[in-house]
Amino acid sequence: MREEYWFYYILSYFNQERSVTTSQLLHVFQGKRTPSMFYMMEANQWHHGFLYNASITRQDLQQTLQLLLQKQYLQEEKKGYLLTNKGAEACRLYFEAHYYPQKIKTFTYVNVRLPFWNQLQLFTQVFSEFSYQNTQYVPVIKHPYYQENIRLLFQGQKDKKETLLKQWFGEQQFLFEQLEERQANVLANLLTGHHILGETKAQIAEKLQMESLAFDFYLQDILETVITLVKKNASQLVLLNTILKQLHLATNLGLSASTKDTYQLLKKGYTIPKIANIRSIKENTVREHILEMAFVFNNFPYQNFVPATIYQYLNKRFEEEENYHYRQAMQEKDTLEFMHYRLVELERMRQNGP
C-alpha cells in the first residue's frame, strides 16, 4: 500500500502545462537550496515535499516514473514529463479517497518539526512521571541532546517544579483545545506518560485506515499546525514557545548553516561586499543567501534589499504585465540585479497567491 500511495503522490507533482524533470523532483525531496528550486517549490506549493527524503536516489524516482509512463498517466516532453488527461483523472480520484498533505505552506519549520516532536514527547513523559513523583522509567526519547534540554530547564527552576508542572498542563490543555478533534486524538495517542504507553504510528495509521506514508504526511501536517499555534499564542504557551525557539535556533532558523552565518552578519548591519569579504565568498553567494532567507522566513523585509526606485518600477511593470520576465526587466533596467527581481516577484506571489 505504501508503494501505491507513493505512486500517486509522485503523480501529483505533474501538470499538463509545464514539464517536470526527474532532477527537479530529486532536488525537492533532497532539499536542494538554490533560488531556482525555492521558486519552483513556492510557485507549485510543493513545501510538503521539501527535504522529505534526503536519501532518495535518481534510480528510485525513475522506477516510479517508468510505471507512470506505462500506465499512460504521464507522457515524455523534452527532458521531462507532462500529466495526461488519464493521469489527471486518476490522481484526482485517488486523492478524493486518500489524505494529501495540505498544512505545510512555508519552508520555515522544515528543520525543526522532528526535533520539536522529539522534545514534546520527552517533556510530556517527564512531566507526567513527575506528577506521580516517579523517577524510575525508561525515557521514550533516549538521545542525550533532548534529555540535556530537560535537565537544563529543571536545573534553572529547582524550587519551581510544581509551578512548571501546572504551567505545562495548562499549556497542553490550551493547545489541544485549539486542534481539530482528530488531530488532538492522534497526537494524544502517540504520547507516552505515567503507566501509559503511546501507540506506534503504524497502529494509529491502521485505526485511521491510512497508508503508512499518508499518515507520515498527516503527522507532519499536525506538527506544522502545532508549531504555528505555538508561535501565534506565544504569550499563553510560554514553555512550548521557549522549547520551540531554542530548537529553531539550534536548527539554523530553517536556513542552511552557511546562510545562517550570512544572516547573522546582515543583522549586524554589514553590507553584501563586506560580508563577502569577511566570509571569503562571492557577492553572488551572499545574494543567494538573502534569497534563501526570503523564501524561508515568513516575514521578510523585501524592500530593505531592493533600491526604492527599482522596487517601485518592478511593481509597476508586474501590474502592467502578468508574465513579466527577468529578461525583459534586464533590457529595461541595466542596473537591475536578479536578486531585486526575484524578491519583488516573491513578495507579490505571497501577497496575491502563486
Side-chain angles (χ1 to χ4, degrees):
M1 291 297 289
R2 184 181 180 90
E3 289 75 13
E4 182 185 59
Y5 188 92
W6 177 250
F7 179 84
Y8 285 100
Y9 177 68
I10 292 296
L11 183 62
S12 74
Y13 278 81
F14 295 90
N15 62 80
Q16 295 178 291
E17 287 77 43
R18 183 173 295 180
S19 67
V20 176
T21 69
T22 306
S23 293
Q24 287 168 338
L25 284 181
L26 198 62
H27 293 334
V28 172
F29 300 139
Q30 292 179 343
K32 187 170 184 179
R33 292 173 175 270
T34 62
S36 60
M37 281 308 304
F38 273 123
Y39 176 78
M40 173 173 277
M41 289 183 284
E42 184 85 24
N44 290 286
Q45 296 292 289
W46 290 345
H47 304 86
H48 50 79
F50 182 58
L51 256 179
Y52 172 70
N53 185 352
S55 63
I56 193 169
T57 66
R58 181 176 294 273
Q59 184 178 4
D60 293 332
L61 274 179
Q62 286 177 332
Q63 287 176 351
T64 302
L65 294 173
Q66 283 303 311
L67 290 173
L68 290 168
L69 284 170
Q70 289 171 18
K71 285 271 192 180
Q72 297 181 333
Y73 289 171
L74 294 179
Q75 63 185 39
E76 293 186 80
E77 173 71 16
K78 297 180 181 178
K79 295 182 180 179
Y81 306 90
L82 285 174
L83 188 65
T84 63
N85 289 333
K86 184 179 179 182
E89 181 66 5
C91 192
R92 183 186 68 79
L93 290 173
Y94 185 81
F95 285 111
E96 280 182 357
H98 300 79
Y99 186 78
Y100 190 79
Q102 55 197 258
K103 301 292 186 183
I104 299 172
K105 303 294 186 182
T106 75
F107 303 104
T108 308
Y109 303 120
V110 64
N111 291 348
V112 80
R113 278 194 297 271
L114 179 58
F116 181 74
W117 172 231
N118 287 337
Q119 198 71 79
L120 181 63
Q121 291 178 85
L122 188 56
F123 264 103
T124 299
Q125 182 187 27
V126 168
F127 276 115
S128 176
E129 298 291 0
F130 175 70
S131 69
Y132 288 91
Q133 299 183 345
N134 178 38
T135 58
Q136 303 299 313
Y137 59 91
V138 178
V140 66
I141 301 295
K142 298 177 177 60
H143 195 289
Y145 173 77
Y146 301 104
Q147 295 187 17
E148 177 66 7
N149 288 342
I150 299 276
R151 188 188 69 79
L152 289 173
L153 176 69
F154 280 104
Q155 186 181 54
Q157 305 283 342
K158 283 185 178 180
D159 302 323
K160 299 180 180 179
K161 290 184 179 179
E162 291 292 340
T163 303
L164 282 176
L165 180 63
K166 288 180 181 179
Q167 175 75 21
W168 180 260
F169 284 162
E171 290 189 18
Q172 295 305 295
Q173 182 177 356
F174 179 90
L175 176 65
F176 276 77
E177 286 173 351
Q178 307 304 309
L179 293 171
E180 297 170 7
E181 184 177 357
R182 189 168 82 155
Q183 290 180 330
N185 288 337
V186 166
L187 211 58
N189 288 331
L190 285 167
L191 294 170
T192 291
H194 184 69
H195 291 168
I196 299 172
L197 184 63
E199 295 182 67
T200 66
K201 291 193 291 184
Q203 288 172 325
I204 296 178
E206 185 176 358
K207 282 183 180 178
L208 296 176
Q209 297 183 319
M210 274 187 181
E211 300 82 352
S212 60
L213 184 54
F215 182 76
D216 284 346
F217 282 119
Y218 183 54
L219 180 57
Q220 290 298 312
D221 274 358
I222 294 175
L223 294 175
E224 184 79 4
T225 301
V226 168
I227 289 170
T228 302
L229 285 169
V230 170
K231 293 296 290 183
K232 183 180 178 181
N233 301 281
S235 59
Q236 290 102 323
L237 303 173
V238 177
L239 280 176
L240 284 168
N241 190 52
T242 300
I243 294 166
L244 178 59
K245 283 175 68 176
Q246 177 190 2
L247 291 172
H248 203 200
L249 191 62
T251 53
N252 299 321
L253 302 174
L255 304 169
S256 67
S258 183
T259 299
K260 169 75 178 305
D261 291 341
T262 295
Y263 170 70
Q264 298 289 9
L265 292 173
L266 280 171
K267 283 178 65 179
K268 293 178 180 178
Y270 289 114
T271 63
I272 291 174
K274 184 66 175 176
I275 293 172
N277 184 52
I278 291 171
R279 299 203 55 209
S280 299
I281 57 179
K282 296 177 181 178
E283 290 185 19
N284 273 344
T285 302
V286 178
R287 292 185 180 94
E288 288 186 358
H289 288 171
I290 292 169
L291 284 172
E292 181 181 337
M293 293 171 214
F295 278 103
V296 170
F297 294 159
N298 288 329
N299 299 305
F300 184 81
Y302 301 93
Q303 293 186 53
N304 290 1
F305 297 93
V306 185
T309 55
I310 292 178
Y311 181 82
Q312 293 164 7
Y313 181 82
L314 287 174
N315 272 291
K316 179 175 177 292
R317 293 295 285 118
F318 274 117
E319 289 288 345
E320 293 168 349
E321 291 188 45
E322 184 178 350
N323 297 314
Y324 182 58
H325 296 293
Y326 175 62
R327 189 173 298 173
Q328 288 176 262
M330 275 293 294
Q331 291 171 350
E332 298 167 4
K333 282 279 185 184
D334 55 8
T335 58
L336 179 74
E337 295 178 7
F338 176 73
M339 182 183 74
H340 301 153
Y341 173 86
R342 188 62 93 202
L343 286 174
V344 172
E345 184 183 39
L346 175 60
E347 182 183 36
R348 293 179 63 84
M349 185 189 298
R350 288 182 169 173
Q351 289 171 346
N352 306 322

